[in-house]
Amino acid sequence: MFRLTLAACVAFALGACTQQTSDVEMVDSAPPPLSDADIAENNRGVALMGYFDYSGARDQFEKVVEQRPEWLEARVNLAIATLNRQQEEDDEEVALALLDEVLAEQPDHLRAHYVSGILRLYLSETEKALSHFRTVAEADPNDAYAAYYVGQLLVQLRQPEDAMQHFRRAIELDPYLRSAYYQASLALQQLGDRDGATEMREAFQRLDGNPRARLAKFEYTKMGPRAEAVAAGRPDAVQAATPTGPVLLAGEQITPTNFGGPRQGLTVADVKGNGLLDLFITGPPKLVGVICSPASSTGPVG
C-alpha cells in the first residue's frame, strides 16, 4: 500500500514538474514586442514602395521577416513587394506561398485574403479569387474595392444579377471608382438591360479626367488600400496634453478703432519682447496697436 502511494506521489510530482516546465516554455516562447528598429525597418520598406522601388522594398521586408518571422503584417508586406517586383518568373507563386502561410496561421487575415484574391485574379484563377474577395467583402462591407472585385469576378462567371448588387454597393461606397461603372455596364448587358448599360457607360465616361476618379488596375496604389504595404507604429503613443487656461488675455483698446482703413493689415509679432506673439494691427503710425496678447507661451494664439 505504501509503495503504491509512494509511486502515485512520485507520478503526481513528475506530472506537476512537467506542467510547470510546459508553462515556462509557453511563456518563454512568446515573441518579444516589436522594437523601434523592427518598426523603422518595416516602415523603410513601405517608403521604398512609395518610391516604386519594389526590388529594394522586397529586400527590406525580407530582412524584417527573417528577424521577426512571427510578424504577419511584415510577411504580407513582403508578398505585396514581391508581386509588384515582377522581375522573376515565379514572383506570383512566391507571393502566393507567403500569403498561404499567413492564412494557415491566421485564416481570417483580411489583407492576406485580399492580396491572394488580386494574385489569383491576375492568374485567371476565377473561383479561388472570388472566394478570397467574398471573405473580405463579407467581413468588411465598407470596402468598396472588395465589393467591386466580387462583382467583376461574378461577371466573368456570368452571374450578372448577383454582380450588380456588389457594383451598386461599390458605387455607393466610392462614387469615384470608375471601374465599377464600366463593369456594371457589362453586367447589365448580360441581363439584356441596354438602357441601364448605356447609363452606366455614360457615368464611366463622365468621370474621365476627374482628378478624384480612379480606375482599378494591376498597378501599385491602384488595386485598393488592402493591396498596399502597411507601416507600423506605436498605438500606445501618448499625445501632448492640451494646455489649460485662457488662450488670449483681455483685449486692449486702441485708438482710433476704425480698423479696415487704407494701408492697414493684421499680423502677429512679438511686440513686447517677451517671447510671445501678439495680434497686431499694421498701418499708418497713428493706427498701429496691439489688439490682444497670448496668455502663455504654451497655448495657441488665436
Side-chain angles (χ1 to χ4, degrees), residues 187-263:
L188 290 168
Q189 284 179 1
Q190 289 184 6
L191 289 169
D193 185 351
R194 293 185 178 180
D195 292 340
T198 299
E199 182 179 349
M200 285 293 177
R201 192 160 50 249
E202 289 175 349
F204 168 78
Q205 293 169 348
R206 279 196 304 271
L207 287 171
D208 187 20
N210 189 315
R212 299 181 64 183
R214 295 173 301 283
L215 289 173
K217 299 180 180 180
F218 289 116
E219 297 178 19
Y220 188 63
T221 73
K222 296 183 179 180
M223 296 179 287
R226 280 197 164 96
E228 298 178 20
V230 172
R234 293 292 188 192
D236 55 348
V238 178
Q239 296 183 348
T242 303
T244 58
V247 176
L248 296 172
L249 295 175
E252 299 179 15
Q253 185 69 35
I254 61 172
T255 55
T257 58
N258 58 337
F259 177 69
R263 295 182 296 159

Side-chain angles (χ1 to χ4, degrees), residues 64-85:
V64 175
V65 170
E66 287 176 357
Q67 295 171 346
R68 300 303 302 266
E70 79 285 355
W71 190 6
L72 299 186
E73 296 303 329
R75 285 156 67 180
V76 176
N77 283 350
L78 175 59
I80 291 172
T82 303
L83 75 89
N84 282 281
R85 183 178 65 167

Side-chain angles (χ1 to χ4, degrees), residues 53-188:
D53 181 1
Y54 306 127
S55 181
R58 188 189 184 283
D59 292 343
Q60 186 67 27
F61 290 134
E62 190 171 42
K63 176 182 176 182
V64 175
V65 170
E66 287 176 357
Q67 295 171 346
R68 300 303 302 266
E70 79 285 355
W71 190 6
L72 299 186
E73 296 303 329
R75 285 156 67 180
V76 176
N77 283 350
L78 175 59
I80 291 172
T82 303
L83 75 89
N84 282 281
R85 183 178 65 167
Q86 294 291 306
Q87 288 184 354
E88 305 293 336
E89 292 184 0
D90 62 345
D91 273 351
E92 294 88 357
E93 288 74 14
V94 171
L96 271 174
L98 287 166
L99 296 166
D100 287 344
E101 291 174 0
V102 171
L103 290 173
E105 294 184 35
Q106 187 176 327
D108 60 348
H109 197 291
L110 296 187
R111 272 215 311 148
H113 274 294
Y114 188 95
V115 180
S116 295
I118 292 288
L119 275 163
R120 296 192 187 280
L121 173 61
Y122 180 77
L123 296 172
S124 300
E125 298 178 8
T126 307
E127 294 282 357
K128 291 181 179 179
L130 179 59
S131 176
H132 286 298
F133 283 122
R134 276 197 187 277
T135 298
V136 179
E138 290 171 3
D140 183 4
N142 293 318
D143 189 327
Y145 277 85
Y148 161 75
Y149 281 120
V150 171
Q152 179 183 353
L153 288 160
L154 288 170
V155 168
Q156 293 181 13
L157 293 170
R158 303 198 68 80
Q159 300 178 35
E161 195 167 339
D162 192 8
M164 280 305 302
Q165 295 180 14
H166 290 87
F167 290 138
R168 291 191 181 98
R169 179 61 179 165
I171 291 169
E172 177 186 356
L173 292 169
D174 188 352
Y176 295 99
L177 184 54
R178 290 185 69 205
S179 301
Y181 296 95
Y182 180 77
Q183 290 290 334
S185 71
L186 300 181
L188 290 168

Side-chain angles (χ1 to χ4, degrees), residues 32-43 64 67-68 71 232:
L34 296 176
S35 67
D36 291 339
D38 295 330
I39 292 173
E41 289 176 357
N42 175 80
N43 293 354
V64 175
Q67 295 171 346
R68 300 303 302 266
W71 190 6

